[in-house]
Structures are given as structure tokens and as C-alpha cells.
């Protein structure tokens, strides 16, 4: 693992050096630009090691996780057309989707936060297909758990996946059922530690609100302006490491829709097909 990290860091160092040298001719800032600038804002330029660590952390913590959840979201929408239709109904009822188009100016933060069913769908994707299986902690104080003594100084891992799989609050834990988070059931409300896709405690995920917003925007876009279908005969097998993802990707065909919900034929099949 340490050797693999060194290999990645070598590649990153090259990319960072190129970026530091070519500062002209770009009209946008990417994540690495922002990282470099953020150090300067606080009067302390980040060292090359800090930049490499920060970049690697973002690639795993921010990118791989969100990509995993996005793929799981698309897969569940493909498997559960009724969920997709219910999402569309919610978008219509809130005036966001009208005649097959996202109404101009309607995608505001307060509108998105008001979409309760969408919130349930994203929560359920993150419960059943939690991208990160767990986290590591150092034991600061000796403690006892179920009759076992865990000594100070040990490294321990808490498992998010096992927690979601065994938490007594979830009925039919293997079933994809967004309504479990809906009004009346609110299965995540009992107990603080049964539902933790973003971890917990002081090291809880820094990007959780951004990640949820991103996933919601993706779901709205998919539900509103496209039709999509599986491009393979069967759904792919899912593997869990390093994040939940389909073996060999999830092959999907996307079709744009016009305001009459007719497909917009803008390209060949190969242009419309995508692996996520
Ligand atoms: C669906 C998407 C995401 C999931 C499931 C997720 C999950 C997690 C989890 C479980 C942890 C805690 C690990 C631990 O207990 O040690 C964590 C930490 C972290 N996440 Fe996320 N994350 C997501 C997206 C993001 C995004 C988009 C960003 C940044 C833009 C981000 C930045 C971080 C950072 C910086 C930490 C480390 C915090 C610390 O150690 O103090 N994450 N994430």
C-alpha cells in the first residue's frame, strides 16, 4: 500500500509541477488550483508534500466516493422505475419539472432542500451502497465493548457497512426502499449511530453537504431531461474495494429528451453510450 502511494505521489508531483509552471491561458480554476491558492490566502504556501497529500486525499475522499454513489444511484434508478417516476412526480409537484423541462431558475438550493422524496432516495443509496466501508481510529482510552477490553493505543476500525447491515432500526435491510426515510417511518431517527454513510465524530466527512447536493443535482438532471437504459443484458456484479463499484463499470445508454419527452437524436449509439 505504501509503495502504491509512492507511485501515485510521483505522478502527482509531475502534474503539480507542470501546473505551477503553466499558470497562463486558463479561464477556470480546478481543485488543485484552489488548493494551491488556499495556502497563499492564509499567508503560508503549501509545500509540495502537502499538495501531494491534499490532492491524493481529494481524489479518494471526494472523487472516488461521489463517483461510487453516482453509479449506485443510476443503477438503482434503472432497477426501480417506480422510484424514478415518483421522483419525477415530486419535481412536477414542486414546479421544477414542467413539460419535460427543468423550469428556468427553479434549481435553487432552497428548492432542492425542499424535495423530501429525493432526499430519501439519496439517503437510501448511501445506506445500501455506502461508498466507504469504514474508518480507522486510535484508541485514546482503554474501554470495554461486549466484554472485550480494547487497550489504549490500539488501532481500531469502525465498519459503516456492517453497521448499516445489522442496525436493528432498518426493516428488510437488503431491500432498496427510499420510503423508510420518509415521514411516518423515519427509520434513521432512532439512535445516533445506526446510519453513518459520512462517518461520525470530529472526523466526519467534510464534504458531506456538497456530496449530497451533487447527487441530488444529478438525480434531478437524470429524472428531468433524459431517458436511460442498461446497455448490457444483465446488471454487473458489485465489488466493495476500495469503494463500492460495478466490476468493469456500469454500461448505460443515455437519450436526451425534448420538451415533449421525445428523444433528441443527436448522435450515434456509440456517442450516447457511457460507462459510469
Ligand atoms: C458520497 C460521497 C462521500 C462519502 C460517502 C464520504 C464519506 C466519508 C467518510 C465515511 C469519511 C470519514 C472517514 C473516517 O471516519 O475516518 C469522510 C471523510 C472525509 N471526506 Fe468524505 N465522503 C464523500 C464525499 C466527500 C467530498 C465531495 C469531499 C470534499 C469535497 C469529502 C472530503 C472528505 C474529507 C476531507 C474527509 C476527512 C475529514 C477528516 O479526517 O477530518 N468527502 N468522508
Amino acid at each position: 500500500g505504501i509503495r502504491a502511494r509512492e507511485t501515485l505521489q510521483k505522478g502527482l508531483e509531475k502534474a503539480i509541477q507542470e501546473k505551477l509552471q503553466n499558470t497562463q491561458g486558463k479561464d477556470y480554476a480546478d481543485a488543485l488550483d484552489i488548493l494551491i491558492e488556499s495556502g497563499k490566502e492564509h499567508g503560508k504556501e503549501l509545500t509540495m508534500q502537502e499538495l501531494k497529500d491534499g490532492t491524493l486525499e481529494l481524489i479518494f475522499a471526494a472523487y472516488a466516493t461521489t463517483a461510487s454513489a453516482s453509479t449506485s444511484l443510476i443503477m438503482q434508478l434503472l432497477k426501480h422505475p417506480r422510484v424514478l417516476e415518483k421522483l419525477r412526480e415530486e419535481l412536477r409537484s414542486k414546479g421544477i419539472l414542467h413539460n419535460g423541462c427543468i423550469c428556468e431558475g427553479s434549481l435553487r438550493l432552497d428548492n432542492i432542500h425542499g424535495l423530501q422524496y429525493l432526499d430519501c432516495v439519496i439517503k437510501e443509496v448511501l445506506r445500501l451502497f455506502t461508498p466507504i466501508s469504514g474508518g480507522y481510529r486510535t484508541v485514546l482510552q482503554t474501554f470495554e465493548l461486549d466484554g472485550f477490553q480494547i487497550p489504549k493505543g490500539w488501532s481500531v476500525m469502525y465498519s459503516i457497512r456492517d453497521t448499516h447491515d445489522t442496525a436493528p432500526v432498518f426493516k428488510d435491510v437488503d431491500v432498496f426502499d427510499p420510503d423508510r426515510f420518509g415521514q411516518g417511518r423515519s427509520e434513521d431517527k432512532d439512535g445516533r449511530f445506526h446510519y453513518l454513510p459520512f462517518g461520525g465524530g470530529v472526523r466526519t466527512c467534510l464534504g458531506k453537504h456538497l456530496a449530497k447536493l451533487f447527487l441530488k443535482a444529478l438525480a434531478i438532471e437524470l429524472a428531468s431531461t433524459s431517458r436511460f437504459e442498461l446497455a448490457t443484458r444483465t446488471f454487473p456484479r458489485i465489488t466493495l474495494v476500495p469503494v463500492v463499484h460495478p466490476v468493469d463499470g456500469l454500461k448505460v445508454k443515455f437519450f436526451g429528451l425534448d420538451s415533449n419527452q421525445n428523444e433528441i437524436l443527436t448522435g450515434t449509439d456509440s456517442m450516447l453510450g457511457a460507462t459510469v
Side-chain angles (χ1 to χ4, degrees), residues 57 61-62 65-66 131-132 137 158 160 197-199 203 205-207 210-211:
E57 178 153 26
T65 51
T66 315
I132 295 194
R137 295 290 184 271
Y158 73 95
I160 298 175
F198 294 105
R203 306 312 295 258
C205 177
L206 277 182
L210 176 66

Side-chain angles (χ1 to χ4, degrees), residues 56-74:
L56 199 54
E57 178 153 26
L58 279 184
I59 290 174
F60 182 68
Y63 169 71
T65 51
T66 315
S68 159
S70 306
T71 308
S72 301
L73 169 70
I74 295 172

Side-chain angles (χ1 to χ4, degrees), residues 157-186:
M157 186 189 174
Y158 73 95
S159 174
I160 298 175
R161 185 160 303 120
D162 291 345
T163 305
H164 288 180
D165 281 353
T166 57
V169 294
F170 298 125
K171 311 272 172 317
D172 300 319
V173 313
D174 298 330
V175 177
F176 181 76
D177 176 13
D179 288 317
R180 70 173 75 247
F181 294 112
Q183 266 176 358
R185 285 173 66 190
S186 304

